[in-house]
Amino acid sequence: MPRPVRPKIAYVSAQLPSYLAAEHRVVERSEQALDRLALALDFERVGEWPCVTSRAGAEVVAREAEELGVDMVLLQCSSFAMGDVVAPFGDGRYRLGLWAIEEPRREGPIALNGFVAMHLHAGVLTSAAAGAPRPYKWFFGLDDHPWLRDRLAVTVAALRGIRALREARIASIGGVAPSFWSLAVDERALRARLGVQIDVHDLGDVIVRARSVAADEVDRVVDDLRRAVRSVGAPDDDMRLGAATYVALREVALEGGYDALAVSDWPLFQETLGIHPGMAFSWLDEHDGIPVASEGDVMGGLSMRFAGALATGPAMLLDMNDVDLAADAIIMWHCGGSPLGFADARGATWDVHSTLGRKQPGAVPRGAVADLRFRHGPVSLLRLRSDGAELFALDAEVVAHPTAGFDGSRGWVSAFRDADGPRSAADVVSTVLSLGVEHHIVLSDGAVAPAAREVAAWLGMRLTPTVPYRDELVASAGGAR
């Protein structure tokens, strides 16, 4: 199973003794606030250091934080602090947060002057003297203030996403599906940029493994599969072949310690086993937490792992299949490899693949794949592009629609939003088609696009720009290719 991602955040207090941080218990109150947030947001507060009052002291703490492998240092100006104390924290591999709290009173002699110090530190980090600028994020207040509580919630999710990318191991099984050239990836460029490791496997090995799975193990898996759904419409033989394929893929995933798989689901599966492996994909994600990207889409698999870390839940790889302008909605669909947890109150079924062998004379409908409608609510649409150099990210909602959508895993999506505000379905279509955004888009639970965009800011990725719909030809606005 993918490794759990729980960020480590170090709190460091910087101050001058001539101010009143001690009298107002700034450090104690701040540590208590962070501990409450650590429980609520699921991060670990690590490290205990004396208050930093000089550059020499800052250098010691910065080095020790690096050795602890923290994901972020929150450098708090507990009172005013000199500009040189921030400099050593600008060189670490961790992310840097600048923090100040509100003044205990807003008249008379100033007690803390921490906001001014944070402002000074921001200027130091962006000055020519600091060398190449590096990103940082500011925070303000204690855990009852939105500028700490809400901003840190986005950052903790982003730190999970960064860790998931840095540690990701992806299995490419069978390569990219025939003619799906836009899904190709430069493995060396991706590893250099994000640290992602990709291992290549022969799909024939999976077929051999599937044919070798013991009958009693297939029986156990089929029983689990039947209990997980409302009904089963797929033939027994297909259920057994799908279960054996699940076991084979799971073996590969566990043996390699993979966080996601990218599998070419056609044509070899059909030529050898006569099935589509959608049920196996669905169950590997639902039961084991290992996302599987169809058609050998490595960046799709990585995007699923990334989105899952942001949302702390599963994600789906989908196509955009149709547009209803009157409803300002787009149907997101795939043939049936989605995790069952996305199903609405109707639940899911295992059924035959809706197009496999459909026009072949004498062909019998084969499966098995998941058939479900997505539950309504907030979601995000994400895609890592250009070997990790670019990010497509939108928030949206799964909404009600008069039609049920196409057989398979599906839902109508609307209420699109990017960093600048609401966008129409026409704007989304214009963007993906004008810029050639790869046709697999990840849909994840919850509004995690802000956290995804923060990851892009930390790692220097560009954002795929929205191309507003117009009737005339829109020149390429600088997409991934």
Side-chain angles (χ1 to χ4, degrees):
M1 292 182 67
R3 296 171 290 280
V5 178
R6 190 164 182 249
K8 297 180 180 179
I9 298 179
Y11 165 66
V12 179
S13 169
Q15 54 184 272
L16 284 183
S18 57
Y19 286 86
L20 305 180
E23 288 79 356
H24 291 284
R25 302 173 42 249
V26 172
V27 171
E28 179 184 353
R29 291 162 55 216
S30 299
E31 289 179 336
Q32 291 171 349
L34 282 179
D35 288 341
R36 288 190 291 269
L37 288 171
L39 286 174
L41 303 178
D42 196 24
F43 67 86
E44 181 182 2
R45 184 171 72 85
V46 298
E48 295 283 347
W49 294 281
C51 295
V52 170
T53 59
S54 66
R55 177 167 184 143
E59 289 173 346
V60 172
V61 174
R63 183 172 61 252
E64 292 180 356
E66 184 88 42
E67 292 169 353
L68 282 174
V70 303
D71 297 289
M72 168 170 268
V73 168
L74 268 179
L75 177 63
Q76 184 191 63
C77 297
S78 305
S79 73
F80 187 81
M82 300 302 290
D84 59 352
V85 302
V86 73
F89 295 99
D91 297 328
R93 290 192 296 270
Y94 43 73
R95 316 300 150 188
L96 178 60
L98 304 181
W99 183 20
I101 71 168
E102 296 174 277
E103 291 288 337
R105 58 179 182 267
R106 289 178 173 142
E107 59 185 13
I110 193 163
L112 303 178
N113 216 17
F115 187 91
V116 168
M118 180 170 68
H119 192 179
L120 170 64
H121 289 180
V124 168
L125 289 170
T126 57
S127 69
R134 61 166 291 175
Y136 60 88
K137 185 174 181 178
W138 60 267
F139 302 90
F140 185 69
L142 295 174
D143 56 326
D144 59 349
H145 197 295
W147 286 359
L148 178 64
R149 182 190 63 238
D150 298 349
R151 288 173 66 82
L152 191 60
V154 174
T155 295
V156 170
L159 294 175
R160 288 197 302 265
I162 292 170
R163 282 272 298 276
L165 292 176
R166 295 293 193 208
E167 298 173 357
R169 292 172 55 89
I170 311 293
S172 173
I173 304 176
V176 173
S179 82
F180 281 43
W181 302 310
S182 65
L183 303 183
V185 63
D186 185 330
E187 297 172 13
R188 285 184 291 185
L190 180 61
R191 184 171 180 82
R193 186 171 286 124
L194 298 180
V196 177
Q197 179 174 329
I198 301 171
D199 294 340
V200 176
H201 290 259
D202 182 4
L203 183 55
D205 173 61
V206 173
I207 303 298
V208 170
R209 289 173 183 252
R211 286 172 165 162
S212 304
V213 177
D216 58 346
E217 186 169 8
V218 171
D219 291 340
R220 286 194 297 271
V221 174
V222 169
D223 287 343
D224 290 341
L225 290 165
R226 290 183 178 277
R227 284 192 294 267
V229 296
R230 172 168 49 88
S231 64
V232 175
D236 288 344
D237 285 349
D238 286 10
M239 292 292 294
R240 296 187 64 81
L241 284 169
T245 301
Y246 156 77
V247 173
L249 289 171
R250 185 175 186 270
E251 285 178 356
V252 173
L254 295 181
E255 289 171 8
Y258 295 122
D259 300 291
L261 308 180
V263 182
S264 185
D265 47 337
W266 60 273
L268 189 59
F269 274 105
Q270 292 74 53
E271 293 170 354
T272 56
L273 299 181
I275 63 165
H276 186 276
M279 183 178 71
F281 292 5
S282 176
W283 195 238
L284 198 60
D285 201 342
E286 177 74 20
H287 184 264
D288 300 279
I290 302 172
V292 186
S294 61
E295 292 158 341
D297 185 359
V298 168
M299 293 303 294
L302 181 62
S303 298
M304 294 169 79
R305 171 59 177 149
F306 174 59
L310 296 176
T312 63
M316 299 179 283
L317 196 67
L318 303 170
D319 297 341
M320 291 182 175
N321 288 81
D322 200 3
V323 185
D324 184 339
L325 277 183
D328 193 37
I330 297 171
I331 189 167
M332 303 292 295
W333 170 93
H334 221 252
C335 53
S338 300
L340 307 182
F342 277 99
D344 65 9
R346 284 176 283 257
T349 66
W350 301 124
D351 215 326
V352 294
H353 192 285
S354 62
T355 64
L356 192 61
R358 181 167 56 184
K359 297 187 73 172
Q360 296 174 2
V364 176
R366 301 296 301 268
V369 297
D371 187 88
L372 57 94
R373 304 183 201 178
F374 307 152
R375 64 179 182 273
H376 298 169
V379 294
S380 292
L381 306 179
L382 305 173
R383 172 92 194 179
L384 291 163
R385 311 186 61 210
S386 193
D387 308 319
E390 183 170 327
L391 172 71
F392 171 84
L394 294 171
D395 280 324
E397 292 185 21
V398 176
V399 298
H401 192 273
T403 67
F406 308 116
D407 295 348
S409 307
R410 77 278 198 184
W412 285 93
V413 181
S414 186
F416 303 99
R417 299 178 303 281
D418 66 9
D420 295 320
R423 297 291 184 176
S424 67
D427 293 337
V428 176
V429 170
S430 176
T431 298
V432 299
L433 295 182
S434 299
L435 302 183
V437 175
E438 296 82 354
H439 82 281
H440 287 151
I441 305 292
V442 169
L443 185 148
S444 72
D445 236 350
V448 299
R453 289 191 291 265
E454 181 163 320
V455 171
W458 287 121
L459 299 184
M461 296 180 190
R462 62 183 179 268
L463 296 176
T464 301
T466 299
V467 181
Y469 174 81
R470 299 198 298 268
D471 283 339
E472 71 266 27
L473 172 66
V474 178
S476 173
R481 286 176 174 78

